[in-house]
Amino acid sequence: MKLSYVILPLSLFLCSLDSYFRERGILSLFLLLMLLVVNRNAILNKRYIPIVCVCTTVFAVYTVLAFSMPSIYLEINADKANFSLKIFDRLSILALIIIAAIAYNRDSLIKSVILVANVHVVFFVVQFFFYYALRVPVDYLSFFSSELAQRNWMGFGGDNVFRASGLYFEPSNYAAYMSCYIAILILLKSEIKGYKYLYPVSMMLTLSS
C-alpha cells in the first residue's frame, strides 16, 4: 500500500475532528508536508484552483467579519480568548487544502473524502440507532474526557429531544462538515448515489437548523 493512500485520508479525518483538539489542522499539515518531501516532483493540479479560491475566500471573509463584529461572531468567551489560535487553525486547514490539491489526483481525493464521510456516517447511524431503537444515549466525547459532553439534547415543545451528532460536539457541526464532504464530491464531479444518499439524509436526521 502506498503511503499516500494512508496519509491523505488520515489528514482529512484529523481535520474533521472539530471537537477534540484545536491543533488538528497543524498535525494534518505536517503529515502532508512530510509526504510532499518524499514526492518532490508534485505540481499544482489546475483543476483544483477554483476549490482553493473558494476556500480562501470563505476563510478571508470569516476572519474579517470576526475581527469587525466580535459581538456577533465571537459571542462565546472561550472563542474570544482563543481567537488567534482559531485563526491559525483555520489557516493550517486552508494550507492543507492547497497542499492536497498539489499532491493528489482527483481519484485519490474522492476516495479519501468518501472514506472520511463514511466513517462519520457510521458513528452517526450507531448513535441514532442506539437512542431511537434502544433508548440508550451515546456520548462519544465522554469516552475521551469526563469534562466534555456532546450537545445532543434540545428543548422542543416542552420536551427534551435527542439529536444525534456522530463524532461532533453538536448536530450543527456534523451537518456543516457533511455538507463540505458533499460539496467537495460535487465539485470533483463524483456521483452521489447508493449508500451515499445517507450523507444528506443523516444531515436532516440531526434535527439541526
Side-chain angles (χ1 to χ4, degrees), residues 36-95:
L36 275 182
V37 171
V38 177
N39 186 15
R40 296 179 181 179
N41 297 322
I43 58 175
L44 177 63
N45 191 327
K46 294 182 179 179
R47 72 174 63 189
Y48 299 130
I49 291 179
I51 300 176
V52 172
C53 290
V54 169
C55 293
T56 303
T57 301
V58 171
F59 170 80
V61 170
Y62 166 80
T63 304
V64 171
L65 289 174
F67 271 118
S68 59
M69 293 182 284
S71 60
I72 297 176
Y73 288 87
L74 297 174
E75 291 186 72
I76 303 174
N77 290 330
D79 286 344
K80 295 177 182 178
N82 299 318
F83 183 62
S84 59
L85 184 58
K86 290 182 68 175
I87 292 298
F88 187 69
D89 176 44
R90 284 167 171 75
L91 184 59
S92 66
I93 294 177
L94 174 61

Side-chain angles (χ1 to χ4, degrees), residues 110-141:
I110 289 175
K111 290 178 181 177
S112 297
V113 171
I114 290 175
L115 177 60
V116 173
N118 288 348
V119 169
H120 283 290
V121 165
V122 167
F123 278 98
F124 177 90
V125 170
V126 168
Q127 188 180 49
F128 187 90
F129 173 81
F130 263 77
Y131 182 77
Y132 285 100
L134 306 176
R135 291 297 175 182
V136 177
V138 176
D139 186 335
Y140 294 120
L141 280 179

Side-chain angles (χ1 to χ4, degrees), residues 16 38 40 57 76 86 110 154 156 158-159 176 181 190 194 205:
S16 73
V38 177
R40 296 179 181 179
T57 301
I76 303 174
K86 290 182 68 175
I110 289 175
M154 179 186 71
F156 183 79
D159 296 321
Y181 304 142
S190 175
L205 291 177

